[in-house]
């Protein structure tokens, strides 16, 4: 009986530890990408963003998306992905106003998704 209790406690500690690491690591990655998104939006304002720069920014999202989809089955991750895909066409066409609109939504979601990861009383109830 005591072996079962110890095994259960060890499993619980491992799950909680993994959850904490997930929140910390992914939150940092989202924060970094959100900061880069601010820079990309500023380049849209200046109309100096190149398609190659957008591609590089989008590739960073793809890397983060892979980790996020593994750990976070949120529809918001999918929404960010769609916004990036739509923004690709605007970046290639040089339509900075539409691209900025898409990136503004991306920026908001990059703040919102990490908020969803953090367990709070409101999220649980």
């Amino acid at each position: 009986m005591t072996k079962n209790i110890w095994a259960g406690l060890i499993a619980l500690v491992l799950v909680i530890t993994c959850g904490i690491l997930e929140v910390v690591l992914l939150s940092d990655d989202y924060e970094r990408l959100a900061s880069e998104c601010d820079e990309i939006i500023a380049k849209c304002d200046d109309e100096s963003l190149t398609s190659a720069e957008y591609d590089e920014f989008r590739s960073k999202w793809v890397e983060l998306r892979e980790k996020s989809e593994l750990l976070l089955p949120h529809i918001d991750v999918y929404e960010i992905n769609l916004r990036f895909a739509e923004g690709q066409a605007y970046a290639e066409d040089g339509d900075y106003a539409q691209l900025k609109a898409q990136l503004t939504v991306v920026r908001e979601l990059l703040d919102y998704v990490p908020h969803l990861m953090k367990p709070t009383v409101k999220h649980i109830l």
Side-chain angles (χ1 to χ4, degrees):
M1 181 73 174
T2 58
K3 287 183 181 180
N4 290 339
I5 292 172
W6 280 109
L9 287 174
I10 290 171
L12 181 63
V13 167
L14 286 173
V15 167
I16 290 172
T17 302
C18 288
I20 291 170
L21 287 173
E22 169 192 350
V23 169
V24 169
L25 296 175
L26 280 180
S27 292
D28 288 347
D29 289 347
Y30 271 90
E31 188 176 314
R32 267 192 297 279
L33 194 64
S35 176
E36 288 185 43
C37 190
D38 290 335
E39 295 171 15
I40 297 296
I41 290 171
K43 287 187 174 203
C44 284
D45 287 336
D46 298 341
E47 297 188 359
S48 63
L49 181 68
T50 66
S51 184
E53 288 172 322
Y54 184 81
D55 290 343
E56 182 181 334
F57 177 58
R58 186 176 180 192
S59 71
K60 291 176 184 176
W61 160 248
V62 170
E63 290 175 25
L64 180 55
R65 181 191 74 197
E66 294 301 320
K67 288 189 264 184
S68 296
E69 287 175 341
L70 177 66
L71 301 169
L72 301 172
H74 294 298
I75 193 72
D76 298 308
V77 173
Y78 181 67
E79 179 68 23
I80 296 171
N81 197 49
L82 291 177
R83 297 292 177 157
F84 267 102
E86 191 171 345
Q88 186 71 46
Y90 296 134
E92 290 170 1
D93 289 344
D95 189 343
Y96 294 106
Q98 290 295 329
L99 179 56
K100 181 181 176 184
Q102 295 299 320
L103 289 173
T104 301
V105 174
V106 166
R107 179 62 175 90
E108 183 69 26
L109 288 169
L110 289 173
D111 282 339
Y112 182 67
V113 170
H115 166 74
L116 291 174
M117 289 187 287
K118 297 174 184 155
T120 64
V121 174
K122 288 182 181 179
H123 291 155
I124 296 170
L125 300 176

